[in-house]
Amino acid sequence: MLDGVRILAWGARSAVKLSATLFERSGAEVHVTDAAHIGDFGYDAIVVSSDVGTAAQRGVIAELKAAGEHVICDITATGAQGSRAGVRWSDAEIQAMTGLMDTTGFASGQPVRIGVPFTEMSAAMYACAGVASAIRVARLRGIRQNIDVTLFGCAASALTTFLPAAFTQGTAGRVGNRHPACAPWNAYRTLDGWILICTSTEEQWRKIRSVAGVPQLDDGRFATLADRVRHVDELDRLIEAWTTTLTTEACTRLCERIGVAAGPIVGVADLSREANFRLRHAFAAKQIEAHGIGRDTYRDVSVFRTQPLTADAAGALPAVSSNVERDDDAGPLAGVKVVEIGQYTTAPLVGKHLAALGAQVVKIEPPDGEIARAWVPGQGGTSYFFALNNTDKQTLSLDLRHERDRAYLRTLLASADVLVENLRPGAVAKLGFDRAALAAINPKLIYCSISGFGTESAYPGRPAFDTVIQAMGGLMDLTRSEGEPVKLGASGADILGGQAALFAIVASLVEASREAGSFIEISMQDVAAWCALFATGNPEPQGVAVACADGHVWLECDSHHAPESLKAHAMEAKCSALTRQRAVASLRAAGVRAVAVARVNELVEDGDFLADVLSVARDANGAFWPVLKVPYRLSRTPARVRAVPGAPECVCAPAVVTPQ
């Protein structure tokens, strides 16, 4: 992937450390230093974090950026401009000020800090993708540029499930382990514990209703998805009346048999005994059992695996084409062709970013369109959620049960550089597109498969949604409200899994020549476990959320203040009777680090969000849509978000279904 690339990681943020590990996994030669000064040893790229550096380090970084001799990637909390610039904001403080914290927890409880440094991890992933893109530009066009990545932008970009309500002047608060647009979707008690059950389609609902055997589930109150979301409290009570008659294992196996995503909550310390983790990461499991979880345990888990597209591939293929636009305005991936067969978040997120970076992305949708198109709110028959995740793509409708439509897909793949999909493991192969078939169609294809548990799995064929992966990857164990495990409000496993795939794909496109096509495997459980192990071995500062008259404020622990001390300061300041703004001012005057916990709907009035994150795009009919800029900014060949796709173009309409 990045063999021969030399990277220097020089910064105190966790995102810099994490990016170094990701670059190492991609084959780059990485040097990590915290020295006061650095020498020039022929690095292709230097990753820094200027906002937490010394004045002398910031001066060196400014000189490096001005010189234009390297790719310089600067990961900061909020960037160099804006109302929050110049402050060493922590991951938790960014979670609070963007509304990310307010989406995590139970509706009846307080906002909850995500138990892993989510914004640092997201920034590391995006920084790596940005650097790989810039290195490709440097090799093909001789352009070297600076990249700015902000934790604020990464946090806001993760709110695609919640922002649609804000766009329509609605509110979106904490939903615990539920999904704001799908039901049933929650953690349910069993005979011996808890199980996460997630449904998103009418077919999955019908299957759950059938096996549960609870007569009240046939009530008209649950006839449609909108009805089920409206009556979710009663629905969850009835589902739990069924799950409490089964053990967690029995309920999980039953859900797997009917094709419904489900799974138990796994503790981080118990990952070594979790069947799929142990299968895929035997060395890491043994190390955890022998030595516990240390600072570097996460390094034994890879967030992506790469292999040749086929085991018997041989023969040199042409070098990466240099027939790209020569002007500086062309995107880093100009000339790259991508086919996406995706739905919901992971593969669509990858396709969105590849398109923003200049690739031509063709999204394949089923005849009725992707399910997420119909979610509310939206406009013109398309949801804001779908628009946020699918900008700048050409959308086509294909029914891959039909040979004629499969033939059309083969034509697309023959000239493509990348195929990315997040269907259930084995689904693409059943349609006639296994790795051998793909290699026969296009021997230089980069094929990226994203799934919950990977293609080599203890659970072959088991479906998985974000919430199940959060539970089985350790994220929920680390994120707790009053001691009870709770999922990240944002689709954290989906988003981080998509980001890992994005970096792996872009890194593969950097190679000057490839002997054969490649297969990239992403297991979202791998990524979640990587994050959970890092967080356990490298704990972040703790803090407390304190109630105010109009919401909550986040108080951060430091060398002078432990949690109990912070609570005492909050009581002394009478925060419960103050607005968030006044509480923050009072606490800061007392020497306490405090920030207001924003609500997502308040972001649309936040100056930094409006200036640095929110943008506007048009669809083919001229309608305007709120969209999000990417959180990595390349100075010379920027990624751009421009258009929202309309209804998918129907290219084939065969009458006969070929049996599978």
Side-chain angles (χ1 to χ4, degrees):
M1 300 172 75
L2 295 182
D3 294 345
V5 172
R6 305 186 77 243
I7 305 285
L8 175 66
W10 185 48
R13 282 203 173 275
S14 294
V16 177
K17 178 179 180 179
L18 288 162
S19 68
T21 302
L22 292 168
F23 281 126
E24 287 175 350
R25 286 289 183 181
S26 70
E29 178 186 341
V30 181
H31 297 264
V32 180
T33 182
D34 57 1
H37 298 281
I38 57 172
D40 185 356
F41 300 104
Y43 297 111
D44 294 282
I46 303 175
V47 183
V48 298
S49 51
S50 62
D51 64 338
V52 295
T54 65
Q57 289 172 328
R58 289 194 295 272
V60 173
I61 291 169
E63 292 175 0
L64 288 169
K65 290 181 177 180
E69 296 177 357
H70 305 85
V71 171
I72 308 296
C73 180
D74 193 1
I75 304 174
T76 61
T78 59
Q81 300 178 355
S83 63
R84 300 179 176 91
V87 180
R88 298 170 63 141
W89 303 109
S90 70
D91 170 84
E93 288 170 329
I94 295 294
Q95 289 186 35
M97 65 181 61
T98 58
L100 190 61
M101 184 180 291
D102 195 56
T103 68
T104 302
F106 297 98
S108 59
Q110 295 180 333
V112 173
R113 178 184 71 90
I114 295 171
V116 300
F118 179 84
T119 70
E120 297 271 4
M121 290 167 167
S122 182
M125 299 276 198
Y126 278 135
C128 288
V131 168
S133 299
I135 290 173
R136 186 176 193 273
V137 172
R139 289 185 172 183
L140 295 180
R141 289 184 256 172
I143 298 172
R144 290 174 176 79
Q145 58 193 308
N146 300 322
I147 307 167
D148 287 302
V149 180
T150 67
L151 274 61
F152 186 96
C154 292
S157 296
L159 294 169
T160 52
T161 304
F162 295 89
L163 283 170
F167 293 157
T168 56
Q169 299 183 327
T171 58
R174 296 179 293 282
V175 295
N177 292 317
R178 287 172 171 167
H179 189 291
C182 297
W185 186 303
N186 208 343
Y188 302 97
R189 295 181 188 275
T190 65
L191 279 173
D192 58 353
W194 292 83
I195 186 170
L196 273 296
I197 297 178
C198 306
T199 68
S200 65
T201 68
E202 291 302 314
E203 181 183 6
Q204 291 168 353
W205 160 242
R206 287 191 295 270
K207 289 178 177 179
I208 281 288
R209 187 181 61 190
S210 175
V211 299
V214 178
Q216 296 94 318
L217 293 177
D218 294 326
D219 192 288
R221 290 174 299 168
F222 312 126
T224 69
L225 176 59
D227 291 332
R228 294 193 294 278
V229 171
R230 190 178 305 115
H231 299 102
V232 67
D233 289 337
E234 178 63 11
L235 175 65
D236 281 345
R237 186 186 69 79
L238 293 171
I239 293 293
E240 193 164 85
W242 162 61
T243 60
T244 50
T245 66
L246 301 169
T247 65
T248 303
E249 176 65 18
C251 196
T252 300
R253 290 190 179 278
L254 179 58
C255 288
E256 181 176 4
R257 180 172 64 80
I258 64 174
V260 170
I265 297 173
V266 177
V268 179
D270 296 324
L271 279 172
S272 62
R273 294 187 292 275
E274 199 284 318
N276 199 56
F277 182 90
R278 192 172 187 87
L279 172 69
R280 294 178 60 83
H281 306 287
F283 178 79
K286 291 178 181 178
Q287 291 295 105
I288 292 170
E289 290 176 347
H291 307 292
I293 299 171
R295 291 181 58 85
D296 293 325
T297 304
Y298 77 102
R299 294 170 60 89
D300 294 327
V301 176
S302 178
V303 300
F304 57 82
R305 296 182 179 185
T306 58
Q307 306 170 28
L309 186 56
T310 58
D312 57 352
L317 292 172
V320 173
S321 172
S322 61
N323 295 323
V324 297
E325 299 175 54
R326 302 304 299 183
D327 63 287
D328 289 5
D329 194 52
L333 300 185
V336 172
K337 296 181 180 180
V338 178
V339 175
E340 173 204 312
I341 308 176
Q343 55 188 342
Y344 306 120
T345 299
T346 47
L349 180 146
V350 177
K352 166 190 171 172
H353 283 273
L354 295 175
L357 289 165
Q360 176 189 348
V361 179
V362 178
K363 178 183 179 71
I364 306 301
E365 299 187 52
D368 294 332
E370 182 184 327
I371 293 170
R373 278 185 179 270
W375 291 0
V376 293
Q379 60 178 338
T382 298
S383 69
Y384 288 119
F385 175 86
F386 180 87
L388 288 169
N389 285 290
N390 291 282
T391 42
D392 302 298
K393 300 175 187 177
Q394 176 188 358
T395 57
L396 298 180
S397 173
L398 291 178
D399 188 340
L400 296 178
R401 296 173 300 170
H402 298 284
E403 171 54 30
R404 184 175 166 189
D405 287 39
R406 293 198 295 270
Y408 192 92
L409 177 58
R410 283 192 286 270
T411 301
L412 291 175
L413 293 172
S415 61
D417 298 284
V418 177
L419 167 64
V420 57
E421 53 91 2
N422 68 327
L423 303 184
R424 189 182 303 185
V428 173
K430 288 180 181 178
L431 292 168
F433 296 95
D434 60 17
R435 288 163 59 183
L438 290 171
I441 295 168
N442 183 347
K444 65 176 182 178
L445 184 70
I446 298 170
Y447 168 35
C448 179
S449 172
I450 310 171
S451 63
F453 302 106
T455 55
E456 179 191 1
S457 171
Y459 316 122
R462 178 186 290 190
F465 282 119
D466 170 85
T467 307
V468 172
I469 299 303
Q470 289 196 38
M472 298 183 67
L475 297 182
M476 285 181 63
D477 180 46
L478 297 179
T479 307
R480 291 178 175 262
S481 177
E482 302 296 327
E484 186 172 343
V486 63
K487 75 178 183 68
L488 285 62
S491 300
D494 279 348
I495 291 166
L496 292 165
Q499 290 178 297
L502 174 66
F503 169 54
I505 289 170
V506 177
S508 296
L509 290 167
V510 170
E511 292 183 81
S513 63
R514 288 181 278 118
E515 291 186 353
S518 59
F519 173 61
I520 300 170
E521 181 203 12
I522 304 291
S523 159
M524 293 191 299
Q525 188 191 31
D526 289 354
V527 181
W530 183 77
C531 295
L533 291 169
F534 176 84
T536 302
N538 301 269
E540 291 280 304
Q542 297 298 303
V544 295
V546 173
C548 296
D550 64 344
H552 293 81
V553 294
W554 172 256
L555 315 185
E556 186 120 322
C557 295
D558 56 24
S559 57
H560 304 290
H561 299 101
E564 292 305 316
S565 170
L566 293 176
K567 292 176 183 177
H569 275 289
M571 292 184 63
E572 183 178 346
K574 296 182 173 61
C575 288
S576 61
L578 302 177
T579 64
R580 286 171 289 170
Q581 183 177 2
R582 291 184 61 191
V584 167
S586 177
L587 290 164
R588 287 181 178 175
V592 175
R593 291 189 63 160
V595 296
V597 178
R599 298 186 180 94
V600 174
N601 60 291
E602 293 171 340
L603 270 186
V604 298
E605 298 176 356
D606 183 284
D608 293 337
F609 177 78
L610 294 174
D612 295 334
V613 181
L614 189 66
S615 186
V616 177
R618 274 184 161 178
D619 64 21
N621 296 320
F624 289 97
W625 292 78
V627 295
L628 303 180
K629 301 173 186 175
V630 299
Y632 46 91
R633 307 294 163 79
L634 284 77
S635 60
R636 296 280 301 278
T637 60
R640 290 188 170 93
V641 178
R642 300 172 177 172
V644 170
E649 178 186 356
C650 183
V651 294
C652 293
V656 179
V657 176
T658 302
Q660 295 298 310

